[in-house]
Each structure stands twice: as structure tokens, then as C-alpha cells.
Amino acid sequence: MAGIFINYRTGDGEEAAVALDGELLKVFGKNRVFRDRRSMGAGTDFPPKLRRELEKSTVLLVLIGSEWLRLKDESTGRRRIDLARDYVREEIRTSLEQQKLVIPVLLGLGSVLPGADELPKDIAQLSQRQTVLLRVPYLHTDVKPLIKELRQYVPVKKKSRGAGKGWKSGGGTYVEKAERSVIAQRDGVYYENAPVAPAESAGRVRFADPANPVKPKSGKSRSTKSAKSAKSAKREGAS
């Protein structure tokens, strides 16, 4: 199954990984995007799970921050990237060997792609891959070119059942059927996520069931009908 695997180093890019994961989920869905701390529940035997998910993925996003290359293992004093058991290195090596699309994602202007001589030999090819820039404060703009590229390799998520279906209100305003949002009807016009003032909640604004919104038989609101009834009573009293 085509998918995206987010590779990052703890202490260097975890915040960016969370932010990027959120943006990718909107487009591709949780079954097409893997980030370890979201995708694995408590008690998961994570080494085999990581290998399985990496095997299924089409694209590896390697998040590289300013400290990515320099971070050291506390027990040995060596760079983490130089350790054979380093998960970041293992995921990159496996993806390169399997000829997956490997995209280095530079986390800010202070991040640079390491040269081949700075990397272990088994992942030296990473230095030859075209990079993309991703600045977390500008994620909303920086992520767009990346998503455009990813769409060529990974299917976007399907729309939920019923999405895009709707009806026209009495005033001719088109309203889509909402699964979770509230739909209100005010004077014959439907409003999605409409705010409700306390004074309006009694009679003048009627809420539809969000899971199964139903159009009323008439596009006229209760307030309109009440006003007509009052006028009729006034005319009868005058006659």
C-alpha cells in the first residue's frame, strides 16, 4: 500500500514531525501517513512494527533540523547517526536500498543537507537527494509544494459517505450535509456552524439533527408564521 513514513530525530525535529503529520493527515488520511508516536499504541512491539510500516510505504520524509547530524548518544559519546542501531539511519538505509522516494525535509533556513563525507557510507546517497524547505511558523505555505509532490505517489483520502450532498433552503442558499457540525435554520435560510444567541434559541432558530438533517416542509420560520397569525388576529379584532 502506498504511504508516507515520517522519519525524524528525537531532540531535533519532533515538533515539526507532529505539525507536518497533522497537515498530511488532512490530505491523505491516517492509513496513508505513519508517524511512530501517533500510529503505535501503548505496548506495541515497535521494532517489527516500524519495519512493517516502512515496507508498506512509498515515500520516506527525512526531517533534518540544525542539530540532526551533531546529536550524540549519551552512553557512547558518538554521533547517533554513526550507531548501527540508530533508527533514523536504519530507516534511511532501508528506503534507499528499496529505491523508495526519499525526500530530505530541511526544518528552517539554519538546516543544511549533510555532505556524503559527513554521513555513514550506507546512507551517503541521501546527500544527493533534492530537498524541500519546511519552516514550522510558515507551515501553511511551505507544506503546499510538498503535498503537491506527494500526491503523485500517494492517493488522497476518500471523502466520507454523504460528503457533497445537500439541499437548497427556502432562500435558495445551498447547504452541504454536515456530519458533526451544527446546522441552524433562521427565517428560511440554513446556516452551517451558525452561532446561537440565547434570545434566538427559543423558537426563532431551529437546529437540525447533525447526523440526519431534515429540511422542514416549509421554508418559512416559526417567527414568520407567528407574525402572520398576529396580523390575522388584529384584522379580526378590527372587523
Side-chain angles (χ1 to χ4, degrees), residues 159-230:
K159 290 184 178 181
S160 59
R161 190 175 180 181
K165 295 180 181 180
W167 61 86
K168 287 186 178 181
S169 72
T173 304
Y174 182 80
V175 180
E176 290 195 21
K177 181 178 178 179
E179 293 183 354
R180 296 181 180 179
S181 57
V182 177
I183 295 179
Q185 185 264 347
R186 183 185 293 114
D187 297 335
V189 180
Y190 287 84
Y191 298 86
E192 186 172 354
N193 294 323
V196 183
E200 296 178 328
S201 60
R204 199 161 74 85
V205 176
R206 186 169 67 83
F207 288 98
D209 179 2
N212 186 29
V214 178
K215 180 181 178 182
K217 294 180 181 179
S218 172
K220 298 177 181 179
S221 68
R222 255 192 242 178
S223 60
T224 304
K225 292 179 179 179
S226 299
K228 286 190 173 182
S229 298

